[in-house]
Amino acid sequence: MHGDFMIIDFSVPVYSYDKLIEDAQALSKQYRKILEYVTIGKSHDNRDIALLKLGKGTKYMVCCAGVHGRESINPVVMLRIIEFYAQAYICYKQQKSILMSKLYNPTKNLISEYEKMLYAACIHELLQTYTILFVPLLNPDGYMISLEGFDCIRDEKLKEICIATGVPHQEWKFNARGIDINRNFPSRLWRPKFVGDYPASENETWALIRLFNEYKSLGFLDFHSRGKQIFYYRSQMPDSYNKKLHTIAKRLKKVTNYRLSGPEEEINPSDSGGNTVHYYSEYFGKPALTIETVDEEAPFPLDISYREKTYEEIMPLIIEFGALII
């Protein structure tokens, strides 16, 4: 179903922001019947924040990655998932027709081909029901800092702010203003980390907030790294909400073999609120989960071998999530 040629190449040693955007636009041209590329905002160092709208459905769900700069595996994986889903959708009817003709002349590979066709049928149904709103890289400045160092920041004042933190560039999780976007969303647990701190202060935060408000989505998945775990619990939400999320999370656990993080792990005692999922849960009341990919002990920069592994683990998860929130 992949075909011989794939636009998204996991063997590229450094998948730069420019490469990622170029490939995202190439995907939208290749699969224009089912995929649209738009820009939803600008980072503080003036990089586009891309949105890929995949599907024909009137219902929506949101998938986001690259909130933290150093978590460099998930943005590329998101693009590969988009490519696989789009290709499966486009090829489904032809594949079904070919398989039906082979039923009259069975081969040893028939079971395998039938399983592939069923998988394509699931994706076809998903994209007939939903338009999936993919934000593969919310924090392009932080992503580039983690890959190439602080010289990639073109604004000299921003570069000085970043360097002054003393954080090694390979471990950089913030945006170009040194702000952790995943602690910047307005929520009940949010509290200031320094003098003058306030929620929704960042361009990247606002890009996602506007997206949430523009589309009435049924659910949200935010992909982070590390730990191969699923966070579902919200202390500020009612029991009915948490029971529903626990049911969903248990199903996703079976798909990925990731572990479930318990209520006591929702937030570190020394940390603050303001996560993407906190905001989404509280303002929209729909399912929102944080999916942590990659081994807990994986050092930064993350090895590119995690691309293929992560893709295999989470590619089916989005299909399952869509079925559970409908």
Side-chain angles (χ1 to χ4, degrees):
M1 192 149 49
H2 275 213
D4 295 328
F5 174 74
M6 298 292 287
I7 291 170
I8 308 307
D9 182 0
F10 279 168
S11 69
V12 173
V14 179
Y15 225 105
S16 70
Y17 163 80
D18 287 341
K19 169 72 171 164
L20 192 140
I21 293 297
E22 177 186 324
D23 284 357
Q25 292 173 338
L27 286 175
S28 70
K29 291 175 183 174
Q30 177 76 19
Y31 300 104
R32 54 185 169 273
K33 292 181 180 178
I34 192 76
L35 184 63
E36 181 185 1
Y37 174 100
V38 295
T39 298
I40 58 170
K42 292 272 191 183
S43 70
H44 286 277
D45 202 38
N46 204 38
R47 290 180 174 89
D48 287 342
I49 299 170
L51 167 68
L52 286 158
K53 300 162 67 175
L54 176 66
K56 294 280 191 179
T58 56
K59 302 181 188 303
Y60 296 96
M61 64 171 156
V62 182
C63 296
C64 183
V67 174
H68 286 142
R70 66 188 185 181
E71 296 170 12
S72 57
I73 297 298
N74 296 333
V76 188
V77 170
M78 286 294 109
L79 291 189
R80 171 64 77 83
I81 290 173
I82 291 167
E83 183 170 23
F84 179 72
Y85 282 16
Q87 193 174 78
Y89 181 92
I90 296 297
C91 296
Y92 165 64
K93 289 182 180 177
Q94 178 188 11
Q95 192 177 22
K96 182 180 178 183
S97 175
I98 292 170
L99 182 64
M100 293 304 290
S101 69
K102 285 184 177 181
L103 287 174
Y104 298 101
N105 183 25
T107 67
K108 291 180 181 178
N109 297 326
L110 194 60
I111 293 175
S112 172
E113 290 179 27
Y114 181 65
E115 288 174 349
K116 287 181 182 178
M117 190 276 291
L118 284 180
Y119 211 93
C122 291
I123 293 170
H124 191 270
E125 180 66 23
L126 177 78
L127 299 183
Q128 285 287 96
T129 305
Y130 287 98
T131 296
I132 308 176
L133 306 171
F134 283 97
V135 181
L137 182 55
L138 185 66
N139 179 10
D141 298 342
Y143 178 81
M144 282 306 295
I145 288 171
S146 75
L147 291 180
E148 296 187 359
F150 298 111
D151 283 344
C152 72
I153 299 301
R154 296 161 293 207
D155 184 300
E156 288 300 325
K157 289 183 180 179
L158 292 178
K159 188 190 298 185
E160 289 173 12
I161 290 170
C162 295
I163 293 171
T165 65
V167 177
H169 79 87
Q170 300 94 333
E171 298 177 16
W172 191 261
K173 65 191 296 188
F174 316 100
N175 69 356
R177 288 184 357 110
I179 302 295
D180 184 344
I181 298 168
N182 209 36
R183 303 295 182 271
N184 191 240
F185 285 79
S187 70
R188 293 167 194 151
L189 289 177
W190 185 91
R191 64 177 185 272
K193 279 74 70 185
F194 52 86
V195 176
D197 187 21
Y198 63 94
S201 61
E202 304 307 294
N203 292 355
E204 298 86 356
T205 310
W206 269 109
L208 196 55
I209 286 176
R210 283 194 297 266
L211 180 69
F212 287 151
N213 283 279
E214 183 177 349
Y215 296 92
K216 192 177 179 182
S217 56
L218 298 182
F220 170 51
L221 296 173
D222 194 13
F223 293 89
H224 285 260
S225 299
R226 302 166 294 182
K228 291 193 176 185
Q229 56 193 314
I230 300 169
F231 287 90
Y232 70 91
Y233 184 78
R234 309 280 179 272
S235 61
Q236 302 302 303
M237 296 298 289
D239 286 344
S240 58
Y241 179 88
N242 284 310
K243 284 178 182 176
K244 180 177 182 179
L245 254 67
H246 188 228
T247 300
I248 293 171
K250 284 191 293 184
R251 289 284 295 165
L252 300 186
K253 177 181 185 290
K254 288 183 179 179
V255 173
T256 58
N257 289 320
Y258 289 3
R259 77 175 184 89
L260 294 192
S261 297
E264 72 284 356
E265 297 178 89
E266 178 190 16
I267 193 167
N268 290 330
S270 61
D271 209 343
S272 75
N275 296 351
T276 59
V277 291
H278 288 166
Y279 172 82
Y280 187 90
S281 297
E282 293 171 25
Y283 280 80
F284 304 101
K286 301 294 184 182
L289 298 108
T290 298
I291 312 295
E292 297 274 357
T293 69
V294 179
D295 296 323
E296 181 69 56
E297 68 276 9
F300 295 107
L302 296 174
D303 193 281
I304 68 169
S305 65
Y306 279 112
R307 292 172 182 169
E308 188 69 43
K309 296 174 188 175
T310 300
Y311 168 75
E312 291 171 358
E313 289 162 356
I314 69 172
M315 186 274 288
L317 179 148
I318 298 170
I319 304 170
E320 189 74 20
F321 185 65
L324 291 167
I325 64 174
I326 196 72

XYZ file of all heavy atoms in Angstrom, residues 61-112:
414
model
N -11.008 15.956 14.438
C -10.152 15.726 15.596
C -8.791 16.349 15.317
O -8.431 16.583 14.159
C -10.040 14.240 15.938
C -9.396 13.359 14.912
S -9.122 11.707 15.620
C -9.071 10.706 14.163
N -8.064 16.646 16.377
C -6.797 17.372 16.271
C -5.653 16.482 16.751
O -5.753 15.836 17.800
C -6.832 18.672 17.107
C -5.519 19.442 16.957
C -8.013 19.556 16.701
N -4.567 16.457 15.980
C -3.334 15.763 16.369
C -2.182 16.757 16.281
O -1.976 17.373 15.235
C -3.053 14.579 15.451
S -4.279 13.265 15.530
N -1.441 16.891 17.366
C -0.359 17.882 17.430
C 0.943 17.207 17.846
O 0.936 16.242 18.611
C -0.732 18.973 18.436
S 0.463 20.329 18.575
N 2.060 17.718 17.334
C 3.388 17.237 17.731
C 4.354 18.422 17.718
O 4.018 19.508 17.250
C 3.871 16.134 16.801
N 5.550 18.190 18.231
C 6.579 19.222 18.177
C 6.316 20.415 19.063
O 6.764 21.527 18.765
N 5.620 20.223 20.188
C 5.410 21.316 21.146
C 6.732 21.638 21.841
O 7.051 22.796 22.089
C 4.316 20.943 22.170
C 4.186 22.008 23.249
C 2.975 20.740 21.458
N 7.494 20.599 22.139
C 8.821 20.767 22.735
C 9.893 20.569 21.664
O 9.875 19.565 20.943
C 9.032 19.771 23.874
C 8.276 20.120 25.114
N 7.676 19.176 25.922
C 8.023 21.323 25.692
C 7.102 19.777 26.951
N 7.300 21.085 26.830
N 10.817 21.500 21.588
C 11.804 21.515 20.517
C 12.609 20.236 20.385
O 12.773 19.702 19.286
N 13.092 19.720 21.503
C 14.019 18.584 21.467
C 13.339 17.260 21.115
O 14.015 16.272 20.849
C 14.709 18.458 22.824
C 13.769 18.075 23.961
C 14.461 18.160 25.308
N 13.606 17.675 26.383
C 13.959 17.658 27.659
N 15.162 18.108 28.014
N 13.142 17.199 28.588
N 12.006 17.244 21.097
C 11.262 16.016 20.802
C 11.090 15.898 19.292
O 10.010 16.086 18.743
C 9.942 16.027 21.571
C 10.191 16.004 23.076
C 8.962 16.254 23.920
O 7.837 16.236 23.376
O 9.115 16.471 25.143
N 12.191 15.571 18.639
C 12.321 15.720 17.185
C 11.812 14.547 16.360
O 11.792 14.619 15.134
C 13.803 15.954 16.837
O 14.605 14.890 17.338
N 11.365 13.478 17.017
C 10.911 12.289 16.281
C 9.480 12.449 15.773
O 9.165 12.156 14.608
C 11.026 11.031 17.168
C 12.498 10.761 17.532
C 10.396 9.826 16.487
C 13.399 10.480 16.352
N 8.596 12.915 16.643
C 7.165 12.925 16.320
C 6.764 13.782 15.118
O 5.871 13.370 14.363
C 6.353 13.336 17.547
C 6.482 12.337 18.687
O 6.731 11.162 18.466
N 6.331 12.809 19.911
N 7.345 14.968 14.880
C 6.925 15.747 13.704
C 7.087 14.997 12.381
O 6.196 15.032 11.526
C 7.837 16.978 13.767
C 8.115 17.156 15.225
C 8.245 15.761 15.754
N 8.209 14.306 12.225
C 8.456 13.546 10.992
C 7.508 12.348 10.917
O 6.969 12.026 9.848
C 9.925 13.066 10.922
C 10.226 12.456 9.575
C 10.887 14.213 11.231
N 7.284 11.701 12.055
C 6.364 10.566 12.105
C 4.950 10.992 11.724
O 4.237 10.270 11.020
C 6.399 9.904 13.497
C 5.282 8.873 13.650
C 7.753 9.247 13.744
N 4.524 12.180 12.185
C 3.203 12.685 11.814
C 3.061 12.784 10.299
O 2.025 12.426 9.730
C 2.962 14.062 12.436
C 2.683 14.088 13.919
S 1.153 13.302 14.415
C 1.835 11.830 15.217
N 4.100 13.276 9.642
C 4.039 13.398 8.182
C 3.939 12.034 7.513
O 3.210 11.866 6.529
C 5.257 14.149 7.649
C 5.370 15.639 7.982
C 6.510 16.269 7.191
C 4.079 16.390 7.703
N 4.665 11.048 8.038
C 4.592 9.706 7.449
C 3.199 9.108 7.658
O 2.666 8.424 6.772
C 5.672 8.805 8.054
C 5.553 7.333 7.662
C 5.732 7.062 6.166
N 7.117 7.104 5.769
C 7.981 6.090 5.895
N 7.598 4.955 6.453
N 9.222 6.229 5.479
N 2.613 9.325 8.820
C 1.247 8.838 9.071
C 0.267 9.487 8.107
O -0.594 8.817 7.531
C 0.839 9.103 10.538
C 1.637 8.202 11.488
C -0.668 8.892 10.733
C 1.429 8.497 12.963
N 0.411 10.789 7.903
C -0.439 11.496 6.940
C -0.296 10.869 5.557
O -1.289 10.616 4.860
C -0.081 12.992 6.904
C -0.485 13.673 8.216
C -0.747 13.691 5.715
C 0.097 15.066 8.404
N 0.946 10.610 5.162
C 1.194 10.029 3.843
C 0.563 8.635 3.729
O -0.082 8.321 2.723
C 2.699 9.950 3.575
C 3.037 9.420 2.201
C 4.508 9.563 1.845
O 5.346 9.659 2.781
O 4.827 9.593 0.640
N 0.736 7.822 4.745
C 0.178 6.463 4.712
C -1.347 6.494 4.650
O -1.970 5.770 3.855
C 0.641 5.687 5.940
C 0.099 4.286 6.008
C 0.557 3.304 5.146
C -0.881 3.953 6.932
C 0.051 2.009 5.197
C -1.390 2.670 6.990
C -0.919 1.692 6.126
N -1.964 7.326 5.472
C -3.425 7.426 5.485
C -3.947 7.925 4.138
O -4.929 7.391 3.604
C -3.885 8.381 6.578
C -3.886 7.823 7.984
C -3.202 6.650 8.314
C -4.560 8.482 9.011
C -3.208 6.163 9.603
C -4.575 7.999 10.306
C -3.894 6.848 10.603
O -3.891 6.354 11.885
N -3.303 8.968 3.602
C -3.757 9.548 2.329
C -3.639 8.527 1.205
O -4.553 8.384 0.379
C -2.947 10.801 2.007
N -2.526 7.813 1.187
C -2.318 6.813 0.142
C -3.313 5.663 0.266
O -3.872 5.190 -0.739
C -0.881 6.284 0.213
C -0.461 5.471 -0.995
C 1.011 5.111 -0.925
O 1.378 4.201 -0.197
N 1.847 5.812 -1.667
N -3.564 5.226 1.485
C -4.527 4.146 1.713
C -5.921 4.566 1.251
O -6.653 3.770 0.645
C -4.555 3.772 3.194
N -6.268 5.796 1.536
C -7.592 6.305 1.132
C -7.734 6.329 -0.388
O -8.727 5.853 -0.942
C -7.793 7.717 1.693
C -9.143 8.314 1.355
C -10.222 8.158 2.218
C -9.339 9.026 0.175
C -11.464 8.696 1.916
C -10.574 9.570 -0.139
C -11.630 9.404 0.736
O -12.854 9.934 0.422
N -6.719 6.865 -1.052
C -6.770 7.011 -2.511
C -6.795 5.647 -3.201
O -7.492 5.443 -4.202
C -5.562 7.842 -3.009
C -5.615 9.277 -2.463
C -5.490 7.837 -4.535
C -6.800 10.095 -2.906
N -6.046 4.676 -2.662
C -5.882 3.379 -3.317
C -6.944 2.357 -2.922
O -6.998 1.264 -3.512
C -4.500 2.795 -2.996
S -3.126 3.773 -3.624
N -7.778 2.674 -1.943
C -8.678 1.676 -1.368
C -9.597 1.022 -2.403
O -9.668 -0.200 -2.503
C -9.506 2.292 -0.248
C -10.686 1.447 0.159
C -10.490 0.188 0.722
C -11.990 1.882 -0.031
C -11.573 -0.610 1.092
C -13.068 1.097 0.327
C -12.856 -0.144 0.897
O -13.918 -0.928 1.240
N -10.299 1.794 -3.204
C -11.285 1.229 -4.142
C -10.609 0.336 -5.191
O -11.112 -0.733 -5.525
C -12.078 2.350 -4.801
C -13.046 3.022 -3.842
C -13.857 4.107 -4.510
C -14.805 4.755 -3.510
N -15.571 5.875 -4.127
N -9.448 0.792 -5.666
C -8.711 -0.010 -6.648
C -8.242 -1.318 -6.004
O -8.342 -2.387 -6.598
C -7.525 0.776 -7.185
C -6.678 0.001 -8.190
C -5.397 0.745 -8.567
O -5.038 1.731 -7.937
N -4.725 0.263 -9.591
N -7.739 -1.208 -4.775
C -7.230 -2.383 -4.069
C -8.361 -3.375 -3.807
O -8.188 -4.592 -3.972
C -6.619 -1.939 -2.743
C -5.803 -3.006 -2.044
C -5.160 -2.479 -0.786
O -5.618 -1.481 -0.222
N -4.114 -3.120 -0.328
N -9.511 -2.874 -3.444
C -10.675 -3.733 -3.193
C -11.091 -4.460 -4.471
O -11.387 -5.658 -4.456
C -11.832 -2.890 -2.664
C -13.070 -3.686 -2.317
C -14.170 -2.776 -1.794
C -15.430 -3.575 -1.485
N -16.540 -2.690 -1.029
N -11.094 -3.738 -5.587
C -11.487 -4.323 -6.872
C -10.530 -5.437 -7.286
O -10.953 -6.513 -7.724
C -11.521 -3.238 -7.949
O -11.794 -3.788 -9.208
N -9.223 -5.185 -7.131
C -8.215 -6.188 -7.485
C -8.368 -7.431 -6.617
O -8.308 -8.568 -7.092
C -6.791 -5.600 -7.351
C -6.558 -4.523 -8.412
C -5.740 -6.704 -7.450
C -5.287 -3.721 -8.207
N -8.596 -7.204 -5.320
C -8.733 -8.324 -4.397
C -9.970 -9.169 -4.738
O -9.923 -10.396 -4.706
C -8.821 -7.822 -2.964
C -8.909 -8.911 -1.884
C -7.638 -9.755 -1.873
C -9.141 -8.301 -0.522
N -11.067 -8.506 -5.068
C -12.288 -9.239 -5.408
C -12.072 -10.146 -6.626
O -12.566 -11.267 -6.666
C -13.429 -8.257 -5.677
C -13.883 -7.476 -4.446
S -14.385 -8.524 -3.058
C -15.916 -9.202 -3.714
N -11.318 -9.655 -7.596
C -11.035 -10.479 -8.778
C -10.167 -11.676 -8.416
O -10.296 -12.758 -8.992
C -10.358 -9.646 -9.864
O -9.050 -9.270 -9.477
N -9.282 -11.505 -7.430
C -8.388 -12.601 -7.032
C -9.120 -13.674 -6.220
O -8.628 -14.792 -6.085
C -7.215 -12.049 -6.209
C -6.175 -11.316 -7.041
C -5.008 -10.884 -6.176
C -3.919 -10.217 -7.024
N -2.768 -9.800 -6.206
N -10.269 -13.308 -5.657
C -11.025 -14.289 -4.886
C -11.435 -15.487 -5.757
O -11.637 -16.590 -5.256
C -12.267 -13.635 -4.276
C -12.021 -12.682 -3.096
C -13.299 -11.992 -2.694
C -11.412 -13.426 -1.914
N -11.552 -15.232 -7.047
C -11.924 -16.312 -7.968
C -10.710 -17.115 -8.431
O -10.843 -18.115 -9.120
C -12.654 -15.712 -9.183
C -13.937 -15.019 -8.799
C -13.978 -13.636 -8.693
C -15.087 -15.754 -8.509
C -15.147 -12.987 -8.316
C -16.260 -15.122 -8.133
C -16.295 -13.740 -8.034
O -17.443 -13.106 -7.655
N -9.518 -16.632 -8.041
C -8.284 -17.322 -8.399
C -7.312 -17.213 -7.222
O -6.323 -16.482 -7.286
C -7.684 -16.695 -9.670
C -6.439 -17.432 -10.123
O -6.265 -18.611 -9.815
N -5.568 -16.740 -10.836
N -7.619 -17.892 -6.115
C -6.873 -17.700 -4.866
C -5.366 -17.948 -5.002
O -4.941 -18.815 -5.767
C -7.509 -18.728 -3.921
C -8.853 -18.999 -4.504
C -8.685 -18.876 -5.990
N -4.604 -17.187 -4.238
C -3.153 -17.357 -4.182
C -2.737 -17.504 -2.724
O -3.525 -17.280 -1.802
C -2.426 -16.136 -4.783
O -2.673 -15.002 -3.936
C -2.913 -15.836 -6.190
N -1.472 -17.846 -2.509
C -0.964 -17.991 -1.142
C -0.999 -16.671 -0.381
O -1.071 -16.651 0.841
C 0.475 -18.529 -1.187
C 0.590 -19.961 -1.671
C 2.047 -20.412 -1.674
C 2.169 -21.843 -2.175
N 3.575 -22.287 -2.221
N -0.910 -15.564 -1.105
C -0.844 -14.241 -0.465
C -2.222 -13.637 -0.217
O -2.327 -12.492 0.207
C -0.029 -13.284 -1.329
C 1.407 -13.733 -1.471
O 1.964 -14.297 -0.538
N 2.005 -13.495 -2.632
N -3.270 -14.391 -0.481
C -4.607 -13.814 -0.430
C -4.972 -13.305 0.965
O -5.549 -12.230 1.105
C -5.637 -14.847 -0.898
C -7.031 -14.308 -1.224
C -6.948 -13.278 -2.334
C -7.970 -15.435 -1.614
N -4.627 -14.064 2.004
C -4.961 -13.640 3.367
C -4.267 -12.331 3.704
O -4.868 -11.401 4.242
C -4.590 -14.736 4.392
C -5.488 -15.956 4.187
C -4.713 -14.206 5.814
C -5.130 -17.139 5.070
N -2.985 -12.242 3.363
C -2.228 -11.015 3.607
C -2.836 -9.833 2.864
O -2.983 -8.743 3.423
C -0.770 -11.210 3.186
O -0.061 -10.002 3.234
